Amino acid sequence: MLSLLQSAFEKRSALFEVTDAYRIVNGAADGFPGLTLDRFGDRFQVQFFGPEMLSRRRELVDAVSRLFKPVCVVVKERLSRSGKSLENAPMEIAFGSREDAVGVVREGRARFHVDLLDTVNPGLFLDMRHVRLEVEERFRAMDGEGPRFLNLFSYTCSFSVHARLGGAAVATNADISGKILDKGRENYALNGLDLRPGEFFRGNALEYVRWACKKGLRFDGIVLDPPSFARFKGFNFNVREHLMPLVAECAQILNPHGFFMVSSNYSEFALDAFSRDVLDAVKSVHKN
């Protein structure tokens, strides 16, 4: 097991200078079916998405501890014993303490707070790293005064931190959770970013987009990365039903030479059809 872990770790060597938060093991491709291992600085997260490796749980934790010398290892079971996917996964501190599960990671020029025991996700979605870094680079390359960024379903505001580090004058975050927005404010502070008027909006994304349209606000970059479902004040957001109309409404507040990133983890979307539908929704507003 140690040799498999070492081999998986070495495959990620291209990331070592970029970040200390990345996936080391991604299931069967790395010799660990039904399992992922994520590094968040000196903290490690093991997730079981299937039963294949459960019987070797202790052996795995021991191997991770021996190889990486972590301050904390948290184990999460993402499937019930009946095979049902769990959003509220059981969590166990297999090594370290509750206090050790909290820390800071680096990503390019940015730093972010993480807490491996807060929710299923510690505060930073690793699979969107390349997009976050691209957002920063896009703002760094922009001409003109006061470029603006809009981050819908903002979670802990990591896209906005990168946008501001790249030179965005304002990076607006919209999310239904006040607790999550507070974590975003903490990430701003961690990176030495002042809080500017209009950067934090608690409410649903559609509500903000329609308000911004009425106010004549325009943005040079928009990120729209919604959950599959969300509920706020009686409104139930369903990504299959509401995403493309929201894309079209977002296009109305996008500057002609701006960029727009749309993403979804909804498994029933086919990539080709998804890309086509997003482009069609944008082109319904921006004819050229």
Side-chain angles (χ1 to χ4, degrees), residues 22-28 32-40 44-54 57 60-61 64 73-79 85-92 116 119-122 124-126:
Y22 48 85
R23 178 154 292 177
I24 295 173
V25 169
N26 193 27
F32 295 86
L35 183 142
T36 63
L37 172 64
D38 298 324
R39 178 187 180 191
F40 292 90
F44 289 75
Q45 173 179 269
V46 178
Q47 297 188 93
F48 291 94
F49 289 89
E52 297 90 339
M53 298 292 297
L54 275 173
R57 176 178 176 142
L60 176 71
V61 170
V64 169
V73 178
V74 172
V75 176
K76 302 177 181 180
E77 292 189 26
R78 301 295 300 277
L79 285 180
S85 178
L86 296 173
E87 285 304 314
N88 297 316
M91 305 179 193
E92 176 195 354
L116 273 62
T119 61
V120 168
N121 191 279
L124 190 67
F125 287 100
L126 301 181

Side-chain angles (χ1 to χ4, degrees), residues 15 59 134 187 249 265:
L15 295 172
E59 181 186 357
E134 182 177 341
N187 280 329
E249 296 208 45
N265 63 0

Side-chain angles (χ1 to χ4, degrees), residues 98-109:
R98 175 67 183 87
E99 292 73 21
D100 294 330
V102 178
V104 172
V105 298
R106 63 177 176 85
E107 181 177 85
R109 298 171 60 213

